[in-house]
């Protein structure tokens, strides 16, 4: 069996360091907003060439607080990708604003800058591009349009730890960025965790206050805040795992290169990497017109796969109230019918990668008879 994702190896590789980090926190007597969170914030910001990082409890809260810091609220519109994980949309809804979906570029699955202007109205407050699957959205044209229309930009960088765009890391390309350290992300905690990063000290300060009950000084509350803090244990674990991020992303890049080299000519649509993009390969997503059949075949051959995502947000019952017509976002709907994510994690061995490739080759040879 080749699992789609296997996380225990990340712990086993770093067991000595992680166990020591956990013991340090346990013995310190400090469990919320202490030295580990502060150190992780500084180290994560430095690793992505951005000035400020504020540790939070998960990626969804990071998106929510990021939008609040930008001043997004009831009556506003926020432009979001039509194909993303629903968290991107939920954060907009939490603020009282309305998510306005824009279709992706088919080749990259990321929001299409050429379609942005048509979606801008007098109510538009912000654009929320997602670096989907670990490849950066095309930020230069997005920022150019945002500046021209005086819109704010929040990057959803949940899948993009270590992703580079034209030589720069994601996380400092817009006004503010939201990160998730959910266990399966490229940098993952062993529980829920998240953060924002920004180069703007005012935005960082706003999030810092919002995450802690709207309070700067204990029992003095200047705004109606939240409890969305990163905890000391997860911060200590993340500090250890951050030291491996580049090495583990390189490993993902090697796996992606093997897939790309050996899956040509089999009737699949393979991921495309435009000039200047250096994806962190959070996911390796292929497309196939008989996706469900291929997934079933691979499952029987012992290869675990997942679909990111089976249903776009506008087709979820949660968003029935937006009355977005089925078929009004055809690119996104087609993508959702055809995408399949192959096994991708740093501890996947070269032999396992070749087994996945062999299974897909067998499928494409047998397919005319199926
Ligand atoms: C994982 C993810 C989130 C949410 O992160 P959580 O930590 O699970 O709340 C948001 N957006 C995208 C694109 C994600 O992949």
């Amino acid at each position: 069996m080749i699992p789609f994702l296997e996380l225990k190896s990340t712990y086993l590789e770093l067991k000595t360091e992680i166990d020591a980090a956990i013991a340090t926190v346990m013995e310190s007597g400090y469990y919320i907003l202490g030295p580990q969170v502060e150190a992780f914030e500084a180290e994560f910001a430095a690793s992505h060439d951005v000035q400020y990082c504020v540790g939070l409890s998960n990626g969804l809260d990071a998106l929510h607080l990021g939008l609040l810091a930008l001043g997004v609220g009831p009556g506003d519109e926020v432009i979001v990708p039509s194909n993303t994980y629903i968290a991107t949309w939920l954060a907009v809804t939490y603020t009282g604003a309305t998510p306005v979906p824009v279709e992706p570029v088919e080749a990259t699955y990321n929001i299409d800058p050429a379609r942005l202007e048509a979606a801008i109205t007098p109510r538009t407050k912000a654009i929320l591009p997602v670096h989907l699957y670990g490849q950066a959205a095309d930020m230069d044209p997005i920022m150019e349009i945002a500046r021209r229309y005086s819109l704010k930009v929040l990057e959803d960088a949940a899948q993009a730890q270590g992703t580079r765009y034209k030589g720069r890391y994601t996380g400092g390309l817009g006004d503010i960025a939201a990160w998730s350290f959910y266990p399966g992300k490229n940098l993952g905690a062993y529980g829920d965790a998240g953060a924002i990063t920004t180069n703007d000290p005012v935005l960082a300060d706003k999030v810092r206050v919002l995450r802690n009950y709207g309070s700067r000084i204990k029992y003095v509350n200047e705004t109606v805040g939240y409890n969305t803090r990163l905890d000391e244990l997860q911060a200590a674990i993340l500090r250890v795992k951050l030291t491996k991020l580049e090495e583990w992303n390189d490993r993902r890049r090697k796996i992606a290169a093997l897939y790309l080299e050996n899956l040509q000519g089999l009737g699949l649509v393979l991921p495309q990497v435009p000039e200047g993009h250096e994806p962190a390969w959070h996911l390796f997503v292929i497309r196939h017109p008989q996706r469900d059949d291929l997934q079933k075949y691979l499952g029987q051959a012992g290869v675990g796969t997942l679909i990111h995502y089976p249903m776009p947000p506008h087709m979820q019952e949660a968003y029935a109230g937006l009355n977005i017509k089925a078929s009004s976002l055809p690119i996104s709907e087609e993508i959702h019918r055809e995408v399949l994510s192959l096994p991708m994690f740093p501890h996947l061995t070269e032999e396992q990668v070749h087994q996945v490739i062999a299974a897909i080759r067998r499928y494409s040879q047998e397919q005319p008879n199926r």
Side-chain angles (χ1 to χ4, degrees):
M1 281 299 294
I2 300 164
F4 169 72
L5 175 63
E6 189 269 294
L7 294 174
K8 193 174 152 186
S9 298
T10 62
Y11 172 56
L12 296 179
E13 182 176 332
L14 294 169
K15 190 175 184 323
T16 314
E17 294 89 336
I18 288 172
D19 288 353
I22 290 172
T24 301
V25 174
M26 294 316 293
E27 284 160 21
S28 75
Y30 233 101
Y31 308 114
I32 295 284
L33 294 185
Q36 296 294 335
V37 168
E38 218 167 279
F40 172 71
E41 288 173 344
E43 288 159 11
F44 187 70
S47 73
H48 284 70
D49 295 332
V50 62
Q51 273 186 282
Y52 305 97
C53 170
V54 182
L56 300 168
S57 47
N58 58 64
L60 176 55
D61 285 340
L63 288 163
H64 180 204
L65 267 52
L67 289 169
L68 291 177
L70 292 175
V72 173
D76 293 335
E77 291 176 358
V78 176
I79 295 175
V80 294
S82 55
N83 65 316
T84 178
Y85 183 50
I86 196 167
T88 316
W89 288 41
L90 290 176
V92 176
T93 304
Y94 290 175
T95 66
T98 305
V100 174
V102 164
E103 289 267 68
V105 179
E106 276 218 59
T108 64
Y109 307 110
N110 274 322
I111 197 162
D112 187 350
R115 294 171 186 268
L116 281 177
E117 288 193 73
I120 295 172
T121 76
R123 302 181 129 190
T124 309
K125 181 88 185 193
I127 306 173
L128 207 178
V130 178
H131 306 311
L132 200 66
Y133 307 151
Q135 175 156 278
D138 197 2
M139 291 301 289
D140 280 354
I142 292 171
M143 292 310 293
E144 188 275 316
I145 292 164
R147 293 302 174 240
R148 193 144 43 82
Y149 287 86
S150 303
L151 305 177
K152 301 295 181 188
V153 175
L154 164 64
E155 298 169 73
D156 182 339
Q159 303 187 359
Q161 292 96 357
T163 297
R164 285 184 293 259
Y165 171 81
K166 301 187 180 176
R168 298 167 62 200
Y169 282 104
T170 53
L173 303 173
D175 295 296
I176 189 166
W179 301 88
S180 165
F181 307 120
Y182 180 77
K185 310 292 187 188
N186 287 34
L187 177 63
Y190 296 122
D192 278 312
I196 63 93
T197 52
T198 179
N199 287 309
D200 182 335
V202 177
L203 293 177
D205 184 64
K206 282 185 178 164
V207 173
R208 216 173 273 287
V209 171
L210 282 170
R211 77 169 167 185
N212 191 28
Y213 290 104
S215 169
R216 209 180 289 271
I217 301 159
K218 208 170 171 71
Y219 305 128
V220 179
N221 302 82
E222 53 194 80
T223 179
V224 178
Y226 300 82
N227 176 358
T228 63
R229 302 169 298 220
L230 176 63
D231 70 70
E232 287 284 289
L233 272 177
Q234 297 304 338
I237 290 165
L238 285 167
R239 290 183 68 199
V240 175
K241 292 187 79 183
L242 182 59
T243 65
K244 286 281 175 180
L245 178 63
E246 281 300 325
E247 186 185 323
W248 287 353
N249 277 350
D250 281 344
R251 181 67 206 144
R252 288 173 186 269
R253 291 183 178 112
K254 290 206 179 80
I255 294 165
L258 277 178
Y259 278 145
L260 287 171
E261 194 182 306
N262 292 288
L263 291 174
Q264 310 276 347
L266 301 177
L268 310 170
V269 178
L270 296 174
Q272 293 181 43
V273 181
E275 177 95 29
H277 285 251
E278 294 170 79
W281 296 105
H282 173 58
L283 296 171
F284 190 93
V285 177
I286 61 169
R287 282 171 71 180
H288 192 280
Q290 273 81 50
R291 187 267 317 273
D292 292 341
D293 190 50
L294 171 59
Q295 184 177 38
K296 197 169 139 216
Y297 181 93
L298 291 176
Q300 283 162 357
V303 175
T305 58
L306 282 180
I307 295 167
H308 297 90
Y309 294 89
M311 198 193 278
H314 73 277
M315 292 175 77
Q316 301 282 357
E317 201 180 335
Y319 280 114
L322 287 182
N323 288 317
I324 299 170
K325 279 197 205 69
S327 80
S328 68
L329 298 166
I331 300 175
S332 178
E333 286 174 25
E334 185 191 321
I335 287 170
H336 284 76
R337 278 193 297 273
E338 297 189 348
V339 288
L340 188 66
S341 306
L342 301 183
M344 171 58 84
F345 53 94
H347 296 81
L348 190 67
T349 67
E350 202 164 310
E351 193 192 330
Q352 287 176 314
V353 175
H354 282 294
Q355 284 168 1
V356 176
I357 291 164
I360 295 172
R361 286 186 168 277
R362 279 199 306 277
Y363 175 81
S364 75
Q365 280 154 11
E366 292 171 19
Q367 207 203 0
N369 309 319
R370 287 168 70 83

